[in-house]
Amino acid sequence: MRLTALGLAVGAILATTLLTVPDSPSAALLLDRQRYSIFPYPFTIQNLIYLALAWAMGDLYRRWRAGRRERAFLRAGFLPEDPHAMLQLHELGPIRRRVAELHDSESGFLPALMDLTILQLQASRSVDQAINVLTNALALMGDQVDLRYQMLRYMAWLIPTIGFLGTVIGLSLALHLIDPANMDLAKVVGGLSVSFYTTLVALVASAVLAFVQHAVQEQEERALNAAGQYCLRNLINRVYIDHDSPAARP
Protein backbone atom coordinates (compact mmCIF):
# COMPACT_ATOMS: atom_id res chain seq x y z
CA MET A 1 0.00 0.00 0.00
CA ARG A 2 2.85 2.38 0.72
CA LEU A 3 4.38 1.83 -2.70
CA THR A 4 0.97 2.23 -4.33
CA ALA A 5 0.41 5.48 -2.45
CA LEU A 6 3.84 6.76 -3.49
CA GLY A 7 3.04 5.91 -7.10
CA LEU A 8 -0.25 7.81 -6.88
CA ALA A 9 1.56 10.78 -5.36
CA VAL A 10 4.09 10.81 -8.20
CA GLY A 11 1.21 10.69 -10.68
CA ALA A 12 -0.56 13.56 -8.92
CA ILE A 13 2.64 15.63 -8.95
CA LEU A 14 3.08 14.95 -12.66
CA ALA A 15 -0.54 15.88 -13.40
CA THR A 16 -0.24 19.10 -11.39
CA THR A 17 2.97 19.89 -13.21
CA LEU A 18 1.22 19.55 -16.56
CA LEU A 19 -1.86 21.52 -15.49
CA THR A 20 -0.09 24.51 -13.93
CA VAL A 21 1.86 27.22 -15.69
CA PRO A 22 5.47 27.70 -14.55
CA ASP A 23 6.00 30.86 -12.46
CA SER A 24 2.25 31.12 -11.82
CA PRO A 25 1.09 31.59 -8.19
CA SER A 26 -0.42 28.08 -8.12
CA ALA A 27 2.76 26.48 -9.47
CA ALA A 28 4.87 28.41 -6.97
CA LEU A 29 2.64 27.50 -4.03
CA LEU A 30 1.92 23.86 -4.83
CA LEU A 31 5.15 22.78 -6.49
CA ASP A 32 7.72 25.55 -5.99
CA ARG A 33 7.98 25.56 -9.78
CA GLN A 34 9.27 29.05 -10.37
CA ARG A 35 12.20 30.69 -12.07
CA TYR A 36 14.04 31.79 -8.96
CA SER A 37 13.45 28.72 -6.81
CA ILE A 38 16.49 27.57 -4.89
CA PHE A 39 15.63 23.91 -5.54
CA PRO A 40 15.88 22.32 -9.01
CA TYR A 41 12.46 21.06 -10.05
CA PRO A 42 11.09 18.45 -9.30
CA PHE A 43 13.36 18.10 -6.24
CA THR A 44 11.45 20.64 -4.16
CA ILE A 45 10.33 20.77 -0.55
CA GLN A 46 6.67 20.64 -1.57
CA ASN A 47 7.12 17.46 -3.59
CA LEU A 48 9.04 15.86 -0.72
CA ILE A 49 6.15 16.72 1.60
CA TYR A 50 3.66 15.12 -0.80
CA LEU A 51 5.69 11.92 -0.94
CA ALA A 52 5.94 11.75 2.84
CA LEU A 53 2.21 12.35 3.17
CA ALA A 54 1.46 9.65 0.60
CA TRP A 55 3.67 7.14 2.43
CA ALA A 56 1.79 7.82 5.67
CA MET A 57 -1.61 7.71 3.98
CA GLY A 58 -0.78 4.33 2.45
CA ASP A 59 -0.01 2.97 5.89
CA LEU A 60 -3.20 4.51 7.29
CA TYR A 61 -5.26 2.92 4.52
CA ARG A 62 -3.80 -0.44 5.48
CA ARG A 63 -4.71 0.15 9.11
CA TRP A 64 -8.21 1.30 8.09
CA ARG A 65 -8.76 -1.93 6.19
CA ALA A 66 -7.50 -3.90 9.18
CA GLY A 67 -10.00 -2.06 11.39
CA ARG A 68 -12.82 -2.97 9.01
CA ARG A 69 -11.80 -6.64 9.17
CA GLU A 70 -11.84 -6.48 12.96
CA ARG A 71 -15.36 -5.06 12.89
CA ALA A 72 -16.42 -7.82 10.50
CA PHE A 73 -15.38 -10.47 13.05
CA LEU A 74 -17.95 -9.02 15.45
CA ARG A 75 -20.70 -9.84 12.94
CA ALA A 76 -19.47 -13.39 12.24
CA GLY A 77 -21.66 -14.98 14.93
CA PHE A 78 -18.93 -17.00 16.66
CA LEU A 79 -20.96 -17.15 19.88
CA PRO A 80 -24.68 -17.41 20.61
CA GLU A 81 -26.14 -13.97 21.17
CA ASP A 82 -29.54 -15.04 22.45
CA PRO A 83 -29.87 -13.47 25.93
CA HIS A 84 -31.27 -16.75 27.27
CA ALA A 85 -28.61 -19.03 25.75
CA MET A 86 -25.96 -20.69 27.93
CA LEU A 87 -22.66 -22.36 27.04
CA GLN A 88 -21.16 -25.46 28.63
CA LEU A 89 -17.53 -26.44 28.62
CA HIS A 90 -17.97 -29.25 26.11
CA GLU A 91 -19.39 -26.72 23.62
CA LEU A 92 -16.33 -24.48 23.77
CA GLY A 93 -13.97 -26.88 21.99
CA PRO A 94 -15.59 -26.59 18.53
CA ILE A 95 -15.84 -22.81 18.95
CA ARG A 96 -12.15 -22.56 19.74
CA ARG A 97 -11.19 -24.72 16.78
CA ARG A 98 -13.25 -22.43 14.54
CA VAL A 99 -11.44 -19.26 15.62
CA ALA A 100 -7.94 -20.68 16.14
CA GLU A 101 -6.88 -20.11 12.52
CA LEU A 102 -8.44 -16.65 12.19
CA HIS A 103 -5.87 -14.64 14.15
CA ASP A 104 -2.16 -13.97 14.15
CA SER A 105 0.21 -11.47 15.74
CA GLU A 106 -1.11 -8.63 13.55
CA SER A 107 -4.87 -9.16 13.24
CA GLY A 108 -7.87 -10.92 14.68
CA PHE A 109 -8.67 -9.26 18.00
CA LEU A 110 -11.89 -11.16 18.63
CA PRO A 111 -10.66 -14.62 17.55
CA ALA A 112 -7.50 -14.19 19.63
CA LEU A 113 -9.43 -13.12 22.73
CA MET A 114 -11.87 -15.99 22.33
CA ASP A 115 -9.03 -18.47 21.84
CA LEU A 116 -7.21 -17.35 25.00
CA THR A 117 -10.34 -17.12 27.12
CA ILE A 118 -11.71 -20.49 26.09
CA LEU A 119 -8.31 -22.11 26.67
CA GLN A 120 -8.22 -20.66 30.18
CA LEU A 121 -11.77 -21.81 30.90
CA GLN A 122 -10.94 -25.33 29.75
CA ALA A 123 -7.70 -25.44 31.73
CA SER A 124 -8.83 -23.91 35.02
CA ARG A 125 -12.64 -24.15 34.94
CA SER A 126 -12.56 -20.75 36.63
CA VAL A 127 -14.47 -17.74 35.33
CA ASP A 128 -12.41 -15.40 37.50
CA GLN A 129 -9.14 -16.59 35.98
CA ALA A 130 -10.65 -16.33 32.50
CA ILE A 131 -11.61 -12.71 33.21
CA ASN A 132 -8.04 -11.95 34.34
CA VAL A 133 -6.63 -13.47 31.16
CA LEU A 134 -9.09 -11.52 29.03
CA THR A 135 -8.27 -8.26 30.82
CA ASN A 136 -4.51 -8.75 30.45
CA ALA A 137 -4.88 -9.71 26.78
CA LEU A 138 -6.92 -6.57 26.11
CA ALA A 139 -4.25 -4.40 27.75
CA LEU A 140 -1.47 -6.02 25.71
CA MET A 141 -3.42 -5.69 22.47
CA GLY A 142 -4.15 -2.03 23.26
CA ASP A 143 -0.42 -1.40 23.65
CA GLN A 144 0.21 -3.26 20.39
CA VAL A 145 -2.31 -1.08 18.55
CA ASP A 146 -0.68 2.06 19.93
CA LEU A 147 2.77 0.88 18.82
CA ARG A 148 1.52 0.46 15.25
CA TYR A 149 1.02 4.22 15.04
CA GLN A 150 4.46 5.24 16.31
CA MET A 151 5.87 5.72 12.82
CA LEU A 152 2.77 7.63 11.74
CA ARG A 153 3.16 9.98 14.68
CA TYR A 154 6.76 10.48 13.62
CA MET A 155 5.61 11.30 10.08
CA ALA A 156 3.11 13.82 11.47
CA TRP A 157 6.09 15.47 13.16
CA LEU A 158 8.45 15.09 10.20
CA ILE A 159 6.22 16.78 7.61
CA PRO A 160 6.04 20.21 9.33
CA THR A 161 9.72 19.86 10.14
CA ILE A 162 10.48 19.52 6.42
CA GLY A 163 8.37 22.62 5.81
CA PHE A 164 10.21 24.59 8.46
CA LEU A 165 13.49 23.42 6.95
CA GLY A 166 12.41 24.96 3.65
CA THR A 167 11.54 28.12 5.56
CA VAL A 168 14.98 28.35 7.13
CA ILE A 169 16.72 27.67 3.82
CA GLY A 170 14.58 30.22 1.99
CA LEU A 171 15.11 32.92 4.61
CA SER A 172 18.83 32.21 4.79
CA LEU A 173 19.16 32.54 1.02
CA ALA A 174 17.09 35.72 0.96
CA LEU A 175 19.22 37.29 3.66
CA HIS A 176 22.39 36.19 1.89
CA LEU A 177 21.23 37.86 -1.34
CA ILE A 178 20.51 41.17 0.33
CA ASP A 179 23.35 43.36 -0.87
CA PRO A 180 22.58 47.10 -0.92
CA ALA A 181 25.24 47.65 -3.58
CA ASN A 182 24.04 44.93 -5.95
CA MET A 183 20.69 43.42 -4.96
CA ASP A 184 18.84 40.95 -7.16
CA LEU A 185 15.31 41.61 -5.94
CA ALA A 186 13.78 38.75 -7.95
CA LYS A 187 16.02 36.16 -6.28
CA VAL A 188 15.34 37.64 -2.85
CA VAL A 189 11.60 37.43 -3.42
CA GLY A 190 12.01 33.88 -4.73
CA GLY A 191 13.79 32.84 -1.55
CA LEU A 192 11.12 34.46 0.61
CA SER A 193 8.30 32.76 -1.32
CA VAL A 194 9.96 29.37 -0.75
CA SER A 195 10.13 30.07 2.97
CA PHE A 196 6.42 30.91 3.28
CA TYR A 197 4.98 28.43 0.79
CA THR A 198 6.76 25.38 2.20
CA THR A 199 5.50 26.17 5.69
CA LEU A 200 1.93 26.60 4.46
CA VAL A 201 1.93 23.35 2.49
CA ALA A 202 3.57 21.44 5.34
CA LEU A 203 1.09 22.67 7.95
CA VAL A 204 -1.90 21.77 5.77
CA ALA A 205 -0.47 18.32 5.04
CA SER A 206 0.30 17.76 8.72
CA ALA A 207 -3.24 18.76 9.74
CA VAL A 208 -4.75 16.34 7.21
CA LEU A 209 -2.47 13.52 8.35
CA ALA A 210 -3.20 14.10 12.05
CA PHE A 211 -6.96 14.08 11.44
CA VAL A 212 -6.92 10.86 9.40
CA GLN A 213 -4.54 9.19 11.86
CA HIS A 214 -6.77 9.92 14.84
CA ALA A 215 -9.86 8.72 12.95
CA VAL A 216 -8.25 5.44 11.87
CA GLN A 217 -6.68 4.76 15.26
CA GLU A 218 -10.01 5.42 16.97
CA GLN A 219 -11.68 2.91 14.65
CA GLU A 220 -9.11 0.24 15.50
CA GLU A 221 -9.28 0.93 19.24
CA ARG A 222 -13.08 0.84 19.15
CA ALA A 223 -12.91 -2.53 17.39
CA LEU A 224 -10.64 -3.86 20.15
CA ASN A 225 -12.94 -2.57 22.89
CA ALA A 226 -15.96 -4.05 21.12
CA ALA A 227 -14.19 -7.41 20.90
CA GLY A 228 -13.55 -7.37 24.64
CA GLN A 229 -17.17 -6.47 25.37
CA TYR A 230 -18.34 -9.22 23.01
CA CYS A 231 -16.30 -11.82 24.90
CA LEU A 232 -17.58 -10.61 28.26
CA ARG A 233 -21.19 -10.49 27.15
CA ASN A 234 -21.42 -13.65 25.06
CA LEU A 235 -18.70 -15.90 26.50
CA ILE A 236 -17.80 -15.07 30.09
CA ASN A 237 -21.36 -14.26 31.15
CA ARG A 238 -22.91 -17.26 29.37
CA VAL A 239 -20.54 -20.09 30.25
CA TYR A 240 -21.85 -22.62 32.76
CA ILE A 241 -19.31 -24.71 34.64
CA ASP A 242 -20.52 -27.74 36.51
CA HIS A 243 -17.85 -28.30 39.13
CA ASP A 244 -19.37 -31.66 40.07
CA SER A 245 -18.55 -33.25 36.71
CA PRO A 246 -15.24 -33.51 34.81
CA ALA A 247 -14.60 -30.79 32.27
CA ALA A 248 -15.13 -31.77 28.69
CA ARG A 249 -11.98 -31.47 26.57
CA PRO A 250 -11.93 -30.43 22.92
Side-chain angles (χ1 to χ4, degrees), residues 63-241:
R63 298 259 42 93
W64 175 76
R65 291 185 61 184
R68 290 195 62 185
R69 287 196 299 270
E70 300 296 345
R71 301 291 298 185
F73 282 131
L74 296 169
R75 301 187 295 270
F78 294 128
L79 296 169
E81 300 180 14
D82 185 348
H84 303 291
M86 297 296 292
L87 286 169
Q88 297 187 19
L89 280 178
H90 68 85
E91 298 178 284
L92 299 181
I95 295 175
R96 184 180 173 224
R97 286 193 291 271
R98 180 184 177 189
V99 302
E101 302 297 326
L102 299 178
H103 66 90
D104 52 33
S105 60
E106 291 294 328
S107 63
F109 295 148
L110 180 59
L113 291 173
M114 290 177 58
D115 193 1
L116 287 171
T117 305
I118 292 174
L119 180 61
Q120 183 61 37
L121 286 168
Q122 292 174 327
S124 66
R125 305 183 66 188
S126 170
V127 173
D128 290 337
Q129 292 187 29
I131 292 175
N132 289 333
V133 167
L134 177 62
T135 302
N136 293 332
L138 280 170
L140 290 172
M141 289 180 179
D143 292 339
Q144 184 180 24
V145 169
D146 187 67
L147 287 173
R148 292 172 182 170
Y149 291 86
Q150 290 288 347
M151 181 57 69
L152 290 167
R153 282 191 282 269
Y154 170 73
M155 295 300 293
W157 170 87
L158 178 63
I159 288 175
T161 301
I162 294 173
F164 291 138
L165 179 62
T167 299
V168 172
I169 294 174
L171 288 175
S172 299
L173 178 64
L175 292 175
H176 178 72
L177 293 174
I178 296 177
D179 183 2
N182 184 20
M183 182 183 300
D184 191 336
L185 186 59
K187 289 186 178 180
V188 173
V189 172
L192 291 175
S193 66
V194 169
S195 66
F196 293 119
Y197 290 163
T198 56
T199 302
L200 177 60
V201 171
L203 291 177
V204 171
S206 179
V208 171
L209 176 58
F211 174 79
V212 177
Q213 176 199 327
H214 286 301
V216 173
Q217 186 172 356
E218 180 183 11
Q219 173 190 255
E220 199 163 6
E221 290 175 348
R222 283 181 179 272
L224 176 58
N225 291 335
Q229 293 173 5
Y230 183 90
C231 287
L232 283 173
R233 183 173 60 252
N234 298 308
L235 178 58
I236 296 295
N237 289 343
R238 295 183 190 278
V239 67
Y240 171 74
I241 299 177

